Each structure stands twice: as structure tokens, then as C-alpha cells.
């Protein structure tokens, strides 16, 4: 019986994987964006090889912009480049999740500390209040009226905290983390989170920041972040500990 071919089989005949030719001037950036988008949407599966020649042919570019894109994606942690074997969509493990949320906690706590210590917490509180009000409008009690809008303002809430650090390098680092947080949110919340709990968490953070209470703000922030982390780890464990 002939051996079944798969994307991970080095002897398998090349097959198209669905990219459309690019028609833009900045081929390097467009190539990177096209591959990144497919990974974030999980249209390229974890562990799947990304064949350079096939992707280049489908996008209508040379190998160079595809290879450059792979290097950028590897730096972001989305792609794994294996010597003499090719490029693969990188999996996330329990350790990865724990580390990502640990870095997220450090960055967001720093933003809160800087804002309070430098007396800018009132402005931060105003930004957080705007996000909280928008999230409230996107829900009815524990029911999501518009989940996409809710998550958009949830991201805005946390970005405001990071921006409050006035540290561009931390903002850039946080932006890279967001790629993985997006994948986790989309694929490891099998049912929607309880809206009431999330809103209560955010209000606790907002109230502490508004009062300039650093200890309370740190406690509320850490609790909120690690409840999310623990839920993702629990769901990940059900699938063998790898995403």
C-alpha cells in the first residue's frame, strides 16, 4: 500500500497552499503580511511546513522576500526555521504561555507604576474609563452584544496601560506579544469568557488607578492577567500541552 503523503513528508510532491499573487509595489512588506495573516488566522496549521518555493510562486515573487519574511516571523516567534529542513509554523507550549503572560504582567505593571509615580494616573484613568464604557455598551449583563467590539476595547484598555509607561521599546515588545495573545484568544477560549467577571476586573484596575493606589492596582492587574493565563493553560492541557 503506497505511503500517504502529508505536508510534513519531505518526499511529498509540492502542492499549492492557497496564496494569491501580490500586486503591490512593496513586495517585501506585502509578502510578510500575507504569510503572517495566514498564520494568525490558523489557515496554516501548527507544525506545517511553509515551502519557500511554492509560497514565492503563488505570491508571484522571488525567494528573497519570502526568506526575509520568514526571518521576521521567526523573530516574532511565529515561525521556526530548522537547519536544512525548512520553515515551520511554530507551536506554543505551556511554558511559552506562562512566559508570555509573565512578560505581559511585567510590562503592564510597569505602565501602572510609572503613571502613578509620575502623577499621570488621572489621565490614564480617563483612558481606561473610556474603554470600560465601550465594553459595557458591547454587553448586556453577562451576554455579549458585540464580542468583536468588546475585544477591540479590551485591547485598547491594556494598550493604554502600556502606553502610560512612555517607553517605546516596551510598547514594541508588547506589540510582539500581542500576536501570540491573539492566537491564544481565538483558539483557546472554547466558550466566551464571563463578561461580568472581565468588566469587574477592569473596573477594579480603573478604580485603583483613579485613586492612585499602586498596591491595589498591582494586585488587580496581576489577578486579571493570571486568571486568563490559567484558563488558557487548562484548555491547552486538554490538547496535549501544545498549540
Amino acid at each position: 500500500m503506497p505511503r500517504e503523503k502529508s505536508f510534513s513528508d519531505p518526499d511529498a510532491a509540492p502542492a499549492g497552499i492557497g496564496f494569491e499573487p501580490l500586486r503591490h509595489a512593496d513586495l517585501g512588506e506585502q509578502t510578510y503580511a500575507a504569510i503572517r495573516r495566514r498564520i494568525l488566522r490558523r489557515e496554516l496549521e501548527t507544525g506545517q511546513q511553509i515551502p519557500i518555493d511554492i509560497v514565492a510562486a503563488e505570491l508571484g515573487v522571488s525567494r528573497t522576500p519570502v526568506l526575509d519574511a520568514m526571518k521576521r516571523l521567526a523573530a516574532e516567534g511565529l515561525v521556526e526555521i530548522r537547519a536544512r529542513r525548512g520553515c515551520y509554523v511554530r507551536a506554543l507550549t505551556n511554558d511559552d504561555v506562562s512566559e508570555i503572560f509573565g512578560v505581559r504582567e511585567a510590562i503592564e505593571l510597569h505602565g501602572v507604576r510609572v503613571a502613578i509615580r509620575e502623577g499621570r494616573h488621572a489621565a490614564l484613568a480617563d483612558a481606561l474609563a473610556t474603554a470600560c464604557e465601550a465594553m459595557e455598551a458591547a454587553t448586556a449583563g453577562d451576554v455579549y452584544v458585540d464580542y468583536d467590539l468588546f475585544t477591540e476595547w479590551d485591547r485598547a484598555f491594556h494598550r493604554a496601560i502600556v502606553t502610560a509607561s512612555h517607553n517605546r521599546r516596551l510598547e514594541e515588545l508588547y506589540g510582539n506579544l500581542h500576536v501570540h495573545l491573539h492566537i491564544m484568544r481565538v483558539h483557546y477560549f472554547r466558550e466566551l469568557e464571563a463578561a461580568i467577571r472581565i468588566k469587574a476586573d477592569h473596573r477594579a484596575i480603573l478604580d485603583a488607578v483613579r485613586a492612585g493606589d499602586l498596591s491595589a492596582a498591582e494586585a488587580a492587574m496581576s489577578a486579571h492577567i493570571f486568571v486568563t493565563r490559567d484558563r488558557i493553560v487548562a484548555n491547552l492541557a486538554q490538547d496535549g500541552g501544545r498549540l
Side-chain angles (χ1 to χ4, degrees), residues 29-107:
E29 190 64 31
Q30 292 295 320
T31 298
Y32 160 77
I35 300 171
R36 186 176 186 269
R37 183 166 55 248
R38 294 288 300 279
I39 294 174
L40 292 182
R41 291 177 178 174
R42 308 311 283 169
E43 294 170 355
L44 297 176
E45 297 293 334
T46 296
Q48 180 175 350
Q49 185 173 13
I50 307 176
I52 303 299
D53 290 334
I54 292 175
V55 172
E58 291 188 356
L59 292 177
V61 300
S62 69
R63 287 171 51 91
T64 299
V66 179
L67 289 170
D68 289 343
M70 291 300 154
K71 293 175 184 176
R72 289 179 64 182
L73 293 166
E76 291 181 7
L78 292 175
V79 165
E80 179 183 1
I81 300 176
R82 303 175 188 173
R84 296 182 297 280
R85 294 185 61 188
C87 302
Y88 296 79
V89 180
R90 188 175 181 275
L92 290 177
T93 66
N94 283 332
D95 286 344
D96 291 322
V97 172
S98 294
E99 289 177 4
I100 287 168
F101 274 87
V103 174
R104 177 186 172 187
E105 182 199 29
I107 293 174

Side-chain angles (χ1 to χ4, degrees), residues 19-210:
F19 284 100
E20 296 181 0
L22 297 177
R23 297 180 177 84
H24 299 279
D26 189 352
L27 293 181
E29 190 64 31
Q30 292 295 320
T31 298
Y32 160 77
I35 300 171
R36 186 176 186 269
R37 183 166 55 248
R38 294 288 300 279
I39 294 174
L40 292 182
R41 291 177 178 174
R42 308 311 283 169
E43 294 170 355
L44 297 176
E45 297 293 334
T46 296
Q48 180 175 350
Q49 185 173 13
I50 307 176
I52 303 299
D53 290 334
I54 292 175
V55 172
E58 291 188 356
L59 292 177
V61 300
S62 69
R63 287 171 51 91
T64 299
V66 179
L67 289 170
D68 289 343
M70 291 300 154
K71 293 175 184 176
R72 289 179 64 182
L73 293 166
E76 291 181 7
L78 292 175
V79 165
E80 179 183 1
I81 300 176
R82 303 175 188 173
R84 296 182 297 280
R85 294 185 61 188
C87 302
Y88 296 79
V89 180
R90 188 175 181 275
L92 290 177
T93 66
N94 283 332
D95 286 344
D96 291 322
V97 172
S98 294
E99 289 177 4
I100 287 168
F101 274 87
V103 174
R104 177 186 172 187
E105 182 199 29
I107 293 174
E108 293 195 34
L109 287 180
H110 180 71
V112 168
R113 289 179 187 130
V114 170
I116 291 177
R117 289 171 179 168
E118 295 184 359
R120 292 185 284 102
H121 53 284
L124 174 58
D126 288 343
L128 299 182
T130 297
C132 284
E133 290 167 5
M135 284 185 280
E136 189 68 47
T139 62
D142 217 17
V143 176
Y144 292 94
V145 176
D146 188 333
Y147 185 68
D148 289 339
L149 182 61
F150 183 92
T151 57
E152 180 181 334
W153 280 104
D154 178 49
R155 289 192 293 270
F157 181 96
H158 291 281
R159 278 199 305 270
I161 292 172
V162 176
T163 302
S165 70
H166 286 187
N167 187 314
R168 289 184 295 104
R169 288 179 174 81
L170 285 182
E171 290 183 47
E172 181 179 349
L173 178 58
Y174 192 84
N176 291 337
L177 286 182
H178 177 68
V179 173
H180 299 291
L181 293 170
H182 170 78
I183 292 174
M184 293 177 203
R185 177 180 290 278
V186 170
H187 297 279
Y188 272 87
F189 287 126
R190 294 190 172 88
E191 64 278 345
L192 297 180
E193 297 175 272
I196 289 177
R197 183 192 65 77
I198 298 175
K199 291 185 289 186
D201 284 357
H202 286 164
R203 285 291 176 184
I205 296 168
L206 167 58
D207 291 345
V209 170
R210 177 85 70 193

Side-chain angles (χ1 to χ4, degrees), residues 4-19:
E4 182 179 350
K5 303 294 185 181
S6 70
F7 61 75
S8 59
D9 188 338
D11 298 324
I17 56 176
F19 284 100

